Amino acid sequence: MVAEWIVCLDKRPYDRTGEDLDIIYSRLKGVKAFEKFHPSLMRQICYYGYYEDLEAGVTLYRQGNIGTNWYAVLSGALEVYFSETGNQKESLSICTLGVGTAFGESVLDDSPRNATVVTCEYSELLRIEQKDFKILWDNNKQLMEGLLTPCTLPISISDLSGDRDTNIHWIAGQNITRMSSQNTSRKGKEGSNPIHPALPLVQTPSDKLARAGSILRTSILTRSPTLIRDRKLHLRTYRRCLVGSEMVDWLIQQSPISLIHSRTQAVGMWQSLLEEGVVVHVCWEHPFRDRELFYRFREDDEGNSTIPTTEDKREADEEFQEVLLMLVQMGPDAMMRMILRTPPLERSPDDLEIIYEELLHIKALAHLSTMVKRELASVLVFESHQNAGTVLFNQGDDGKSWYIILHGSVNVEIYGKGVVCTLHEGDDFGKLALVNDSPRAASIILREDNCQFLRVDKDDFNRILRDVEANTVRLKEHGRDVLVLEKIPTNRLKAAEGKPTHYKYSVMAGTPEKMLEHLLETRIDSHQDETDTFLEDFLLTHIVFMPSNQLCPALMEHYHSLMVLGTEQEKHDYMMNNKQRVLKLVWHWSVVAGHAFKEDATIMAFLETLYAAVEEDSKAYPLLLVELSNVERIVQFRETNVKASPSRGKTRHFMNSHHGNDYCASEGRAPMRKPIKASHENIFKVYCADHTYTTVRVPMDSTCSHIIHIASDKLCVGDDLVLCEVKSTGERIVLKESDICVTSNLSLNGKLFISSRDHIDALVSLPEQAGPKTSSIATFELMSSKEVAFQLTLFDWELFNCIHEYELVYHTFGRHRFGRITANLDMFIRRFNEVQFWVVSEMCLTPSINKRVLLLKKFIKIAAYCKDYQNMHSFFAIVMGLSNIAVSRLSQTWEKLPSKFRKMYADFETTMDPSRNHRVYRLAVAKLESPLIPFMPLLTKDMTFAHEGNKTFFDGLINFEKMHMIASTIRVIKYCRSEPFICEAPQPVKNVMEIQHFIRSLKVIDNQRMLTQMSHKLEPRR
């Protein structure tokens, strides 16, 4: 049976009805050869075109013939032959024309054909006669000029004997229009226009998205059949289509409340299908919008509509939730790509903000200022290439663009050396040629299929450099920069819309002293803008560049500073302003730094000096009495604290005992969690090679060398001693003598050993380090899942609340640099590992498959309750434990898990998806309100990313852009704890104390190899 669209094309143009043209348009708009054609031009092609099919071996035309038709390949392939002499026997095959290739525009100037074209296989072509093609050209010259460029280039046979890509490029330039990355050439075009956002990124949908589209279409036809129907608009009928806003409504109605939180999220899910051509706009003019626009599923658009069978409906019901979970995961990235594919001038302020937030997590851009990132958001272009092996640009080419890899990887090749390196997601290339205005130093070749890039073109790149310099103010002293400020709008939305707005100056870099001076002059007296975080950022990060032993004297100097020249009134005002600003800053400092401020001996000595000076000055200047009372409150708080803690130095922490990592106990008090301080007593065991040991009692901030000295005296061992951690795996790690607070950094079952440097190999782990031998399921299965989650959350909150924000800075920059401990942060991260391995241990210690299934269900329920309690720390730990290879490979156990729990776990995995820097998790957490317990390893990763991706100093100045990034992460922790943890406890159970003790003293196996072996014994490979 002949397809309907072919029947329509066989009619003469003047016999074709409006419905015929709609049918032809529906078929042709999916052809890659026409993907860049304007819809109005496409309509005219539908009017003038004819269908032609040819068997293999048919000569379409010969070299030297006068052209009479223009062609586009709809299916099949054609071989192109060229002869320098015109003798057909000497013809050389130079390329093959595949689907999506258009050729034959020499009909415009009646020039002879430059080559012979022969079908390789059965082929379908769209043909437009010469007179009609000339009409098309004359009426649509502007639309067609960039797509069809007829030219006649002289060539020689020697040119055709070289690289095949060169031949293809030649023939494409002469009489063949290259319309798709899928046709003859693999040479990319640097700086090429991005694919229109309404068009798919790939020629054929992936299997999983094609299946997803089929499931959704079947579900719509089953549950809401009237959504897909013929619709009329402006006297035209659009067959088998849906309305965008109705599609969003339906998706929200059909999904669980916890899955889709907004209409924007639903739009992203549909856009992920449109990106691969599973769903299309009826005129291929719009990406997916939550509007009264018409869309079709792929099969309806191609005229291959089918009615779902009973079996199709059953499968759709079973797979529907899994499809939604997958699309929820893919939606944010699809939305991002849709925005990036929108022309820069058409992006809204909200679009620019979304792009900017994405740029914050790209390592290649980490060193750039906020202003530069915001400028980049307005000019970045999305570019994608489907095929591995595509050459993006060649060594020696002129540099036209700077690229950042969004997805995929590329090889960097240099002539004579081959591949010198491989660049991956987040890396950038091509900037050097733009900066130096020099040729490309290497070739860039796609290493895998479907690579995606962010591109900045040369003109935009140069403009941003100029604008940044124009908006940068540099203050100099003695010929050197001492402060670098950046002019930024106070209202970014107005600025983005071109409306007038006020500007402010943000600190980019400076010397510590000059930044302090700028802070006192501009941030203390003025009304604080909520978006201006300079004051708080300075106080949160000053320990990096201006520790208290430098900051305190500098503040005293500002407090006593006087004006040399000026009237008496001016001198008085200057003096009073300085004193009041310093006192206000000290008050802000005490609030931001918290107990770390009050426990710093240098600061306390400074406060006493300052208090005495203010007390004396207030006699002459009564205006200082208000500030004096603030200083007095801080000093009195300190004195009260000291008096209330007479045994302050006697708080004990059993860091290395059997139950010692659960909580600290103050003498004479019930067990409770208190922040661990440097002066607290640390009690732990140090072992010898023969497993004899001594108990050591030292302050928390003791160095390894101090521990070695005490332990060696007690154990009477030799000289040249080292302190070594021996893990349960047998691995030995020699600690540095300068390391402090080493017990908080031990692995879960790690122990400290002392040994001579020559006998480290003799150290072996203790039998008890192997962990438990039996599962605790007999006790654990009787515990309420909700109560277990509640107790996990309570304990996590205690640990989390003990962390001081400065500990993240010490952890990131190195404790040795500050001589400060990070024990509270270490314990919280250690707890994550403990819960994770607890899950794996319990699963691998349970021999009965039925018991393992019950255990699996219980852990999934506990994870769900932790998520409800906003305890993302334990939630991630449990789910990562279940995804551990020792558990995930237990296929027989997972197969017995009810579908309800499988779907819950799939939902958890979606939240945990690490792609795009845990984008799904970040979006979910952004919607939560305080109090909440964050996934701490991700925050420490953000700190490390900011630290390692940016220099702390450049040209002798502090890089304060880096300090802004560090402080931004610290603010996340402050926000999470900004409200007290008040949570409704579960229904009372008899064994609450038992559950509490169990949760705070978990016993685990932390040897991954042992766990994997145990897993294989439970369920051997099939």
Side-chain angles (χ1 to χ4, degrees):
M1 180 177 176
V2 179
E4 191 176 11
W5 67 277
I6 296 177
V7 173
C8 296
L9 278 173
D10 283 342
K11 296 179 182 180
R12 300 299 300 176
Y14 48 78
D15 291 332
R16 296 174 189 171
T17 64
E19 188 173 357
D20 290 338
L21 295 177
D22 284 344
I23 293 169
I24 298 169
Y25 183 84
S26 296
R27 172 65 177 86
L28 294 187
K29 68 185 178 183
V31 177
K32 288 292 180 179
F34 304 123
E35 66 179 7
K36 292 186 179 180
F37 281 48
H38 191 277
S40 66
L41 176 59
M42 274 295 301
R43 290 286 176 186
Q44 295 174 67
I45 289 175
C46 293
Y47 180 80
Y48 288 115
Y50 291 93
Y51 174 82
E52 187 167 330
D53 59 336
L54 303 171
E55 297 296 329
V58 176
T59 301
L60 193 63
Y61 56 73
R62 297 185 183 277
Q63 182 179 340
N65 291 351
I66 301 298
T68 57
N69 295 282
W70 176 83
Y71 299 92
V73 184
L74 303 180
S75 72
L78 301 93
E79 197 76 18
V80 179
Y81 297 92
F82 174 80
S83 170
E84 186 178 13
T85 62
N87 187 341
Q88 297 300 319
K89 294 181 180 179
E90 297 176 1
S91 294
L92 177 68
S93 172
I94 58 173
C95 70
T96 301
L97 307 178
V99 175
T101 309
F103 58 96
E105 60 268 26
S106 64
V107 295
L108 290 174
D109 55 9
D110 295 318
S111 59
R113 300 293 196 189
N114 289 322
T116 299
V117 177
V118 181
T119 56
C120 305
E121 56 188 77
Y122 174 77
S123 302
E124 294 177 293
L125 308 175
L126 179 77
R127 173 176 60 84
I128 297 180
E129 295 178 352
Q130 183 181 30
K131 60 180 178 58
D132 295 329
F133 192 74
K134 285 184 175 181
I135 294 172
L136 275 177
W137 178 264
D138 292 338
N139 293 341
N140 304 276
K141 192 169 184 180
Q142 286 185 334
L143 295 176
M144 298 177 71
E145 216 160 26
L147 301 170
L148 311 176
T149 310
C151 59
T152 304
L153 301 175
I155 60 169
S156 67
I157 200 71
S158 60
D159 295 327
L160 301 176
S161 61
D163 180 40
R164 184 173 175 82
D165 279 352
T166 305
N167 305 335
I168 294 170
H169 185 66
W170 165 78
I171 199 73
Q174 269 210 343
N175 274 357
I176 300 169
T177 309
R178 184 180 182 278
M179 308 304 296
S180 168
S181 61
Q182 288 292 335
N183 63 18
T184 57
S185 175
R186 283 185 178 268
K187 173 69 172 73
K189 182 181 178 183
E190 182 180 353
S192 59
N193 292 326
I195 300 172
H196 190 280
L199 300 175
L201 290 173
V202 295
Q203 193 170 29
T204 305
S206 63
D207 291 341
K208 66 177 182 179
L209 278 177
R211 179 61 178 167
S214 176
I215 294 298
L216 288 179
R217 180 177 179 275
T218 300
S219 299
I220 291 174
L221 290 173
T222 304
R223 305 178 187 188
S224 308
T226 57
L227 280 184
I228 301 179
R229 64 176 189 269
D230 294 351
R231 300 174 189 267
K232 287 189 176 181
L233 182 68
H234 302 314
L235 303 179
R236 288 182 54 192
T237 300
Y238 297 90
R239 298 183 306 157
R240 307 285 296 164
C241 60
L242 306 93
V243 176
S245 57
E246 293 178 2
M247 295 166 76
V248 171
D249 291 336
W250 182 84
L251 205 57
I252 293 174
Q253 291 166 6
Q254 298 297 321
S255 68
I257 296 175
S258 61
L259 191 61
I260 301 179
H261 303 285
S262 66
R263 299 185 71 84
T264 301
Q265 191 178 5
V267 169
M269 295 165 70
W270 284 115
Q271 176 64 21
S272 63
L273 294 169
L274 188 142
E275 277 190 340
E276 297 209 10
V278 177
V279 170
V280 297
H281 179 252
V282 292
C283 296
W284 293 63
E285 293 177 355
H286 298 282
F288 192 85
R289 304 285 191 198
D290 185 10
R291 298 179 190 168
E292 299 294 316
L293 297 173
F294 296 163
Y295 297 90
R296 290 193 190 102
F297 282 98
R298 182 185 179 93
E299 46 264 63
D300 294 325
D301 194 64
E302 293 179 346
N304 299 326
S305 302
T306 56
I307 299 175
T309 63
T310 304
E311 180 65 17
D312 291 336
K313 294 177 182 179
R314 184 188 64 78
E315 291 178 356
D317 283 339
E318 290 179 356
E319 299 179 37
F320 184 70
Q321 292 298 324
E322 294 177 19
V323 165
L324 290 186
L325 287 169
M326 178 184 72
L327 294 179
V328 163
Q329 187 175 349
M330 301 177 73
D333 287 345
M335 282 293 289
M336 174 58 61
R337 285 190 291 269
M338 181 177 75
I339 293 170
L340 288 168
R341 293 168 69 190
T342 303
L345 294 177
E346 297 177 18
R347 293 172 189 165
S348 69
D350 287 341
D351 292 342
L352 297 178
E353 194 64 27
I354 291 172
I355 298 173
Y356 168 72
E357 289 175 2
E358 181 74 14
L359 299 185
L360 293 178
H361 303 296
I362 296 178
K363 64 181 180 181
L365 307 179
H367 65 287
L368 300 177
S369 70
T370 300
M371 176 64 88
V372 172
K373 288 179 186 139
R374 290 194 178 277
E375 287 289 325
L376 286 175
S378 65
V379 300
L380 281 168
V381 176
F382 179 83
E383 184 174 322
S384 66
H385 297 275
Q386 286 186 244
N387 297 322
T390 299
V391 180
L392 204 56
F393 56 72
N394 278 311
Q395 183 176 346
D397 289 351
D398 291 334
K400 297 179 181 177
S401 304
W402 170 36
Y403 291 89
I404 301 148
I405 303 175
L406 199 59
H407 173 75
S409 58
V410 300
N411 285 331
V412 181
E413 287 193 7
I414 296 178
Y415 296 150
K417 296 183 179 179
V419 177
V420 294
C421 69
T422 299
L423 303 176
H424 300 274
E425 183 177 316
D427 292 330
D428 69 318
F429 57 89
K431 187 162 56 177
L432 191 63
L434 302 189
V435 172
N436 298 332
D437 199 21
S438 58
R440 295 296 192 190
S443 299
I444 299 292
I445 302 171
L446 269 59
R447 186 168 173 264
E448 54 190 277
D449 292 340
N450 298 321
C451 288
Q452 298 170 1
F453 305 91
L454 297 177
R455 192 186 81 223
V456 183
D457 292 330
K458 186 174 184 177
D459 289 344
D460 292 321
F461 181 85
N462 291 333
R463 179 186 61 77
I464 289 172
L465 289 182
R466 288 195 303 270
D467 288 351
V468 167
E469 194 56 38
N471 288 313
T472 301
V473 177
R474 301 176 183 275
L475 276 66
K476 294 179 180 290
E477 289 182 358
H478 308 295
R480 293 181 62 248
D481 289 340
V482 292
L483 190 66
V484 182
L485 305 174
E486 184 178 44
K487 182 181 176 183
I488 59 175
T490 54
N491 190 320
R492 297 189 188 281
L493 291 179
K494 284 186 177 180
E497 294 169 357
K499 297 178 181 178
T501 182
H502 296 290
Y503 286 83
K504 62 183 179 182
Y505 287 92
S506 172
V507 176
M508 296 176 65
T511 62
E513 296 78 11
K514 204 64 184 178
M515 288 194 296
L516 176 61
E517 181 184 323
H518 181 72
L519 177 65
L520 290 167
E521 290 177 356
T522 63
R523 297 305 195 274
I524 302 300
D525 294 333
S526 61
H527 176 70
Q528 285 297 307
D529 177 5
E530 290 183 1
T531 62
D532 186 358
T533 60
F534 177 46
L535 172 59
E536 186 180 24
D537 293 356
F538 184 95
L539 296 174
L540 286 173
T541 61
H542 77 89
I543 54 176
V544 175
F545 56 87
M546 197 177 195
S548 56
N549 61 353
Q550 296 176 22
L551 180 54
C552 291
L555 286 172
M556 284 304 302
E557 187 177 337
H558 280 283
Y559 180 83
H560 290 299
S561 63
L562 300 172
M563 179 183 281
V564 178
L565 301 176
T567 65
E568 289 301 320
Q569 184 62 42
E570 288 174 342
K571 292 179 180 178
H572 176 271
D573 291 344
Y574 178 82
M575 176 191 65
M576 285 298 297
N577 285 336
N578 277 346
K579 293 182 186 299
Q580 288 177 321
R581 287 169 182 167
V582 168
L583 294 172
K584 287 177 182 178
L585 178 59
V586 170
W587 174 253
H588 280 297
W589 188 10
S590 71
V591 172
V592 170
H595 67 77
F597 179 87
K598 303 171 183 71
E599 291 167 5
D600 189 311
T602 303
I603 295 176
M604 287 301 106
F606 158 71
L607 276 179
E608 291 173 6
T609 305
L610 181 65
Y611 179 76
V614 179
E615 190 175 33
E616 183 65 28
D617 289 343
S618 63
K619 296 174 183 177
Y621 309 108
L623 287 175
L624 293 177
L625 288 173
V626 176
E627 279 74 20
L628 176 64
S629 64
N630 288 336
V631 179
E632 190 173 17
R633 283 161 61 189
I634 300 172
V635 174
Q636 286 177 346
F637 179 89
R638 160 75 174 178
E639 291 172 351
T640 303
N641 228 25
V642 172
K643 291 176 183 177
S645 307
S647 59
R648 178 172 167 270
K650 296 183 180 179
T651 303
R652 297 175 181 176
H653 297 274
F654 299 90
M655 303 297 292
N656 203 25
S657 64
H658 189 57
H659 302 291
N661 60 353
D662 54 341
Y663 55 85
C664 63
S666 296
E667 290 182 340
R669 295 187 179 186
M672 61 180 295
R673 169 60 54 179
K674 287 186 176 181
I676 302 172
K677 300 176 182 178
S679 59
H680 285 180
E681 209 169 54
N682 189 10
I683 303 171
F684 54 93
K685 295 175 181 177
V686 177
Y687 294 84
C688 291
D690 61 357
H691 291 182
T692 57
Y693 67 88
T694 184
T695 301
V696 175
R697 179 179 297 186
V698 293
M700 291 296 301
D701 60 354
S702 296
T703 62
C704 276
S705 59
H706 181 55
I707 296 171
I708 291 170
H709 175 71
I710 293 175
S712 62
D713 284 349
K714 287 189 173 186
L715 293 169
C716 300
V717 289
D719 298 325
D720 194 22
L721 301 173
V722 294
L723 199 64
C724 181
E725 178 193 358
V726 178
K727 298 185 177 183
S728 60
T729 59
E731 181 186 356
R732 308 170 192 90
I733 299 176
V734 177
L735 304 175
K736 297 177 183 176
E737 289 191 356
S738 59
D739 287 346
I740 63 172
C741 195
V742 292
T743 52
S744 66
N745 273 307
L746 296 177
S747 59
L748 293 177
N749 292 338
K751 300 292 182 182
L752 283 177
F753 282 72
I754 190 169
S755 167
S756 63
R757 197 175 297 276
D758 296 334
H759 295 89
I760 293 174
D761 292 342
L763 302 179
V764 294
S765 59
L766 303 170
E768 66 191 65
Q769 289 183 253
K773 302 296 182 184
T774 58
S775 170
S776 60
I777 188 170
T779 305
F780 180 52
E781 67 179 342
L782 300 176
M783 297 179 183
S784 160
S785 299
K786 192 169 186 179
E787 185 66 43
V788 169
F790 183 69
Q791 292 299 332
L792 279 168
T793 302
L794 284 181
F795 189 45
D796 282 352
W797 180 257
E798 289 180 27
L799 291 167
F800 180 48
N801 227 21
C802 288
I803 301 170
H804 192 279
E805 293 87 352
Y806 285 167
E807 289 189 50
L808 270 81
V809 179
Y810 303 148
H811 180 273
T812 303
F813 286 79
R815 292 176 299 179
H816 62 279
R817 175 176 171 181
F818 304 94
R820 300 297 181 93
I821 68 169
T822 59
N824 298 293
L825 177 61
D826 296 337
M827 298 298 284
F828 191 47
I829 295 174
R830 177 190 180 93
R831 176 64 175 179
F832 178 87
N833 297 327
E834 187 175 57
V835 173
Q836 180 182 352
F837 277 106
W838 167 58
V839 172
V840 185
S841 302
E842 292 292 347
M843 289 294 296
C844 292
L845 286 169
T846 305
S848 166
I849 187 170
N850 291 330
K851 289 288 187 181
R852 283 201 304 278
V853 173
L854 290 174
L855 201 55
L856 195 55
K857 289 165 60 177
K858 194 170 190 69
F859 280 129
I860 291 173
K861 287 167 68 176
I862 293 170
Y865 284 126
C866 284
K867 193 177 180 184
D868 291 342
Y869 286 133
Q870 298 192 164
N871 181 1
M872 307 309 292
H873 196 68
S874 282
F875 167 75
F876 263 73
I878 293 169
V879 179
M880 287 182 73
L882 294 177
S883 64
N884 186 289
I885 185 61
V887 179
S888 63
R889 66 164 300 280
L890 299 173
S891 56
Q892 296 172 41
T893 306
W894 285 95
E895 286 169 4
K896 288 180 174 287
L897 187 69
S899 59
K900 172 187 172 182
F901 288 92
R902 282 204 298 269
K903 289 174 182 176
M904 287 175 66
Y905 182 70
D907 185 14
F908 297 162
E909 285 190 311
T910 299
T911 304
M912 288 187 51
D913 176 33
S915 65
R916 306 297 288 278
N917 200 15
H918 290 274
R919 182 179 180 80
V920 176
Y921 164 76
R922 292 181 190 276
L923 291 173
V925 168
K927 299 180 177 72
L928 301 180
E929 295 182 356
S930 177
L932 65 103
I933 305 173
F935 175 39
M936 184 56 75
L938 184 58
L939 292 177
T940 56
K941 176 188 171 186
D942 289 345
M943 292 285 285
T944 303
F945 175 81
H947 174 50
E948 295 182 352
N950 301 271
K951 293 180 179 179
T952 304
F953 301 90
F954 60 84
D955 296 333
L957 304 179
I958 305 299
N959 177 11
F960 207 77
E961 286 287 328
K962 175 176 179 174
M963 300 304 118
H964 282 308
M965 297 174 70
I966 295 290
S968 177
T969 302
I970 293 175
R971 260 193 298 277
V972 172
I973 292 181
K974 291 176 73 72
Y975 172 75
C976 291
R977 303 188 300 201
S978 60
E979 296 294 333
F981 182 76
I982 302 173
C983 183
E984 185 179 350
Q987 291 294 326
V989 292
K990 293 180 180 179
N991 59 344
V992 169
M993 295 305 295
E994 181 187 356
I995 295 173
Q996 184 176 4
H997 181 266
F998 177 83
I999 289 303
R1000 293 175 181 242
S1001 54
L1002 299 175
K1003 302 176 182 65
V1004 306
I1005 301 170
D1006 68 344
N1007 186 334
Q1008 183 63 52
R1009 181 180 296 179
M1010 181 187 296
L1011 289 167
T1012 305
Q1013 290 172 351
M1014 293 166 64
S1015 173
H1016 280 281
K1017 287 181 181 179
L1018 291 174
E1019 294 185 20
R1021 285 196 182 94
R1022 293 179 179 178

